[in-house]
Amino acid sequence: MAATICTKKFLLNSGFYMPAVGLGTWQGQVGSTAATEMRDTIVYALKQGYRHIDTAAVYGVEEIVGDAIRMSGVPRSEIFLVTKLHSTHHHKVEQAFKASLARLGLDYIDLYLMHWPQSLTEDGKHTDTPTPAETWLAMEALKKKYPDQVRSLGVSNFSQKTMDELLKVATIIPASNQIEVHPMLPQHELIKYLQEKGINVTCYSPLGQYNSPILKHPSILALAEKHGVAAGQVILAWEVAKDLAVIPKSTNLKRIVENITYPTLDTEDIRVLDQFYKGPGLHRRLCQINGGTPTGHDIVMGWTYEQLGWEPYTIE
Ligand SMILES: NC(=O)c1ccc[n+]([C@@H]2O[C@H](COP(=O)([O-])OP(=O)(O)OC[C@H]3O[C@@H](n4cnc5c(N)ncnc54)[C@H](OP(=O)(O)O)[C@@H]3O)[C@@H](O)[C@H]2O)c1
């Protein structure tokens, strides 16, 4: 069957629906894009059927995202908008949330995420306080004070270790955890743990980020040829088939359409993609800030992999 536009949605534990496919808006440090180009591509994506946009205070594009939503003509009520609390603002959650709303020029946010478990001082230095649990309780207080402005709460970059700590104090279970997932980092165990708790998983860097080696690998190219699609479509179809949301970033008009148009994979295709990371040298993070370099590093935003509860990987 030909590839079709993905309209799948997930019911979050907060009672709201999240479209499976969103558009990422972080430009990264490599291959970055002018702000106006980003705005125009968000408008284009919304016109092509995207109904989920992922942004963050730290990406510096919230104003552009708000402008694009208004310019698109798509009703706000049809769009699922995610933004994130930056680590430098854990001590002032309400202020940071209101600043995001003002930059976006919108009345509410569909999903507000703690971007990272760890706190940083306002000038970007490591600090032990607030703890992730304390920040979560401040987010819960925000939700209780402004239930109409913040519809769902979630986290990002949480491992089983940091999620377990958070769940000891939480009275609201996070609706979603946004983590790095792609065939070189399938996160099978963490995803199983989260899905068993009813926590949605959203895959960031779902294609493996800029210049992804996955997209050039012969076994992925063979799957793409089998289905008559581009390599990226096979990868995203695999993630969505596993009930994961995806937020690929593209400012290329052709790839924006490809990234929401998927073939139907069979069980053998899924098995190949599930096992892909077991190939020599293929189990590693690709997002630059997470150690996605050939040599790797294990300190991310002031925390070690051990503090984050992230599994180390070996480059064979
Ligand atoms: N929570 C977090 O800590 C966190 C961290 C990282 C990212 N994110 C979010 O996740 C989003 C996506 O992640 P990402 O931007 O790191 O990586 P990604 O979406 O996996 O990859 C983006 C890169 O792949 C290219 N690309 C896009 N579609 C393609 C296709 N079909 N075929 C070939 N190349 C393609 C893009 O270039 P073109 O634009 O030229 O197509 C861009 O260079 C971000 O924008 C951000 O919203 C969140």
Side-chain angles (χ1 to χ4, degrees):
M1 197 175 82
T4 52
I5 289 225
C6 178
T7 54
K8 190 167 176 173
K9 290 181 179 183
F10 302 118
L11 178 60
L12 302 178
N13 64 16
S14 54
F16 292 96
Y17 281 93
M18 168 197 264
V21 188
L23 182 75
T25 63
W26 181 47
Q27 304 177 32
Q29 290 142 10
V30 187
S32 65
T33 311
T36 48
E37 188 184 356
M38 171 67 76
R39 186 197 61 202
D40 293 346
T41 53
I42 298 169
V43 173
Y44 180 77
L46 288 168
K47 289 188 172 163
Q48 295 305 311
Y50 283 73
R51 289 295 180 268
H52 169 175
I53 309 283
D54 180 78
T55 193
V58 73
Y59 300 165
V61 294
E62 286 178 315
E63 286 97 341
I64 290 162
V65 170
D67 285 347
I69 288 174
R70 284 181 288 278
M71 286 169 65
S72 72
V74 175
R76 169 70 183 98
S77 57
E78 288 185 19
I79 299 169
F80 189 94
L81 179 74
V82 183
T83 194
K84 312 186 191 87
L85 171 74
H86 190 40
S87 287
T88 52
H89 294 152
H90 283 195
H91 62 292
K92 51 178 190 185
V93 170
E94 181 173 337
Q95 206 178 324
F97 174 76
K98 285 186 169 169
S100 280
L101 263 190
R103 283 189 293 270
L104 287 156
L106 299 174
D107 297 333
Y108 67 92
I109 286 166
D110 292 276
L111 177 61
Y112 194 46
L113 303 180
M114 190 190 318
H115 202 151
W116 290 87
Q118 65 270 45
S119 297
L120 296 173
T121 60
E122 294 219 25
D123 57 355
K125 299 203 173 62
H126 176 74
T127 173
D128 289 331
T129 57
T131 64
E134 287 166 344
T135 304
W136 183 254
L137 291 180
M139 291 176 72
E140 288 192 356
L142 177 82
K143 165 82 183 142
K144 284 169 190 156
K145 189 167 173 187
Y146 302 104
D148 298 332
Q149 279 78 38
V150 53
R151 292 194 163 176
S152 304
L153 290 178
V155 297
S156 176
N157 292 301
F158 273 61
S159 61
Q160 181 165 345
K161 172 182 167 176
T162 48
M163 184 64 83
D164 277 340
E165 285 300 311
L166 183 147
L167 292 178
K168 281 184 196 159
V169 304
T171 63
I172 298 174
I173 307 295
S176 180
N177 185 15
Q178 186 180 118
I179 53 175
E180 181 177 347
V181 177
H182 43 68
M184 286 173 66
L185 192 76
Q187 307 251 36
H188 293 309
E189 285 173 25
L190 178 56
I191 289 171
K192 183 168 181 286
Y193 159 88
L194 292 165
Q195 290 184 332
E196 281 173 2
K197 293 195 176 307
I199 299 170
N200 157 272
V201 177
T202 296
C203 312
Y204 76 66
S205 304
L207 295 163
Q209 217 175 49
Y210 177 74
N211 208 13
S212 169
I214 309 168
L215 297 172
K216 301 171 195 152
H217 194 279
S219 64
I220 303 293
L221 291 174
L223 284 177
E225 192 180 353
K226 172 180 164 184
H227 289 282
V229 295
Q233 292 169 277
V234 167
I235 296 171
L236 297 168
W238 164 69
E239 288 154 349
V240 171
K242 294 164 74 68
D243 286 339
L244 311 173
V246 293
I247 46 170
K249 172 264 163 186
S250 183
T251 41
N252 174 287
L253 302 190
K254 179 170 173 280
R255 290 193 283 276
I256 285 175
V257 175
E258 284 176 1
N259 289 349
I260 196 171
T261 311
Y262 307 147
T264 304
L265 302 181
D266 60 35
T267 49
E268 176 58 14
D269 302 332
I270 303 273
R271 192 195 64 77
V272 168
L273 286 153
D274 277 348
Q275 304 294 319
F276 179 81
Y277 75 106
K278 292 185 174 170
L282 291 181
H283 190 203
R284 58 189 167 94
R285 295 179 184 273
L286 291 172
C287 181
Q288 297 161 45
I289 49 170
N290 297 344
T293 66
T295 49
H297 63 75
D298 71 353
I299 299 205
V300 184
M301 307 247 311
W303 270 19
T304 62
Y305 273 23
E306 192 183 347
Q307 284 172 300
L308 285 159
W310 287 7
E311 61 183 75
Y313 55 79
T314 48
I315 298 174
E316 294 148 47

